[in-house]
Amino acid sequence: NAGVMQNPRHLVRRRGQEARLRCSPMKGHSHVYWYRQLPEEGLKFMVYLQKENIIDESGMPKERFSAEFPKEGPSILRIQQVVRGDSAAYFCASSPPGNSLQETQYFGPGTRLLVL
Amino acid sequence: SQQGEEDPQALSIQEGENATMNCSYKTSINNLQWYRQNSGRGLVHLILIRSNEREKHSGRLRVTLDTSKKSSSLLITASRAADTASYFCATFGGSNYKLTFGKGTLLTVNP
């Protein structure tokens, strides 16, 4: 059973460009979470999605950031008009469906975004 | 202060020694989790301890939880160079799905 997959693993963008980060959850998992890790910091929650629904995006910056989890295909975190401050590691996690959400989240290897 | 704060921030020990890391949190919890992150890599889930548990073991790992003090500790026994990594505790705080992480403890095990 493959784990959470993220691509690309490394992404370099110039200021003003767009960054698209992809996440495929573990097989059978329907909950996807995105977290951001700034250098020497812990992870910070960004958004929680289920298929075709954004459940909680309270951790997302109000502008330039968006996320989706379509019926088919991976979840996408999109950052428009990137700035240097967007440079960070972006991690996706997934968890299985069920009533008890306070369970283990399984993390992908992350995408390291560098904005020049 | 953040929910889930680890101390020390950095710990350097010799191979074979034990390593103890501590975590404090603020709100009530249903469980607390420990993760490991090797440099430049993703997070690996180590262990989950529930609020009604006081101690849990997994291989060379021993986790304790004191809900009255809102604190947890992670003990790695007989450490190895491969244990070198950052260790994070995480809780759900007041949410069912937002994991809140501290800044982590950077453990260096010298061969």
Side-chain angles (χ1 to χ4, degrees):
Chain A
N1 188 11
V4 177
M5 299 175 69
Q6 290 187 249
N7 66 81
R9 296 289 302 276
H10 299 273
L11 182 61
V12 180
R13 285 288 179 266
R14 296 193 181 279
R15 280 179 295 169
Q17 291 184 320
E18 178 180 286
R20 277 184 180 242
L21 289 62
R22 286 175 288 277
C23 167
S24 296
M26 286 181 71
K27 187 177 181 180
H29 286 193
S30 57
H31 303 283
V32 167
Y33 317 84
W34 285 92
Y35 292 82
R36 178 165 66 176
Q37 184 180 33
L38 295 171
E40 299 183 14
E41 296 277 334
L43 278 69
K44 298 285 196 298
F45 169 85
M46 298 181 74
V47 61
Y48 162 39
L49 309 106
Q50 296 179 18
K51 284 284 187 183
E52 298 185 281
N53 282 305
I54 298 174
I55 308 302
D56 183 341
E57 56 182 350
S58 59
M60 291 267 277
K62 293 288 185 279
E63 298 178 350
R64 302 187 297 107
F65 284 71
S66 62
E68 62 176 6
F69 189 16
K71 187 176 180 181
E72 302 289 338
S75 174
I76 306 286
L77 179 66
R78 182 183 178 203
I79 311 172
Q80 294 178 291
Q81 299 173 352
V82 296
V83 301
R84 289 207 173 119
D86 297 332
S87 295
Y90 292 83
F91 290 94
C92 170
S94 72
S95 65
N99 292 328
S100 176
L101 285 173
Q102 287 203 12
E103 296 296 333
T104 300
Q105 294 179 7
Y106 297 87
F107 283 80
T111 293
R112 278 146 186 87
L113 171 66
L114 175 62
V115 180
L116 301 176
Chain B
S1 297
Q2 300 180 54
Q3 177 87 343
E5 290 194 1
E6 298 88 347
D7 83 88
Q9 291 188 343
L11 179 62
S12 181
I13 60 174
Q14 296 300 122
E15 215 167 17
E17 294 181 338
N18 296 341
T20 299
M21 289 157 272
N22 303 297
C23 166
S24 61
Y25 58 91
K26 292 185 179 297
T27 64
S28 61
I29 60 170
N30 287 339
N31 63 59
L32 182 143
Q33 307 184 45
W34 284 91
Y35 288 83
R36 183 186 74 224
Q37 183 180 34
N38 290 80
S39 179
R41 308 291 292 274
L43 272 75
V44 174
H45 183 261
L46 295 176
I47 197 163
L48 180 154
I49 185 166
R50 300 188 187 280
S51 58
N52 61 353
E53 297 175 306
R54 291 295 168 260
E55 188 171 309
K56 199 163 182 179
H57 297 254
S58 177
R60 293 184 296 112
L61 305 181
R62 173 178 167 247
V63 169
T64 63
L65 179 64
D66 186 335
T67 52
S68 67
K69 295 181 180 177
K70 291 187 167 58
S71 67
S72 173
S73 68
L74 171 66
L75 168 67
I76 304 174
T77 60
S79 63
R80 305 166 182 169
D83 295 328
T84 295
S86 290
Y87 292 81
F88 297 89
C89 70
T91 63
F92 285 104
S95 162
N96 279 336
Y97 47 80
K98 292 181 196 178
L99 274 174
T100 302
F101 292 81
K103 294 185 178 181
T105 292
L106 176 59
L107 172 66
T108 302
V109 181
N110 301 299

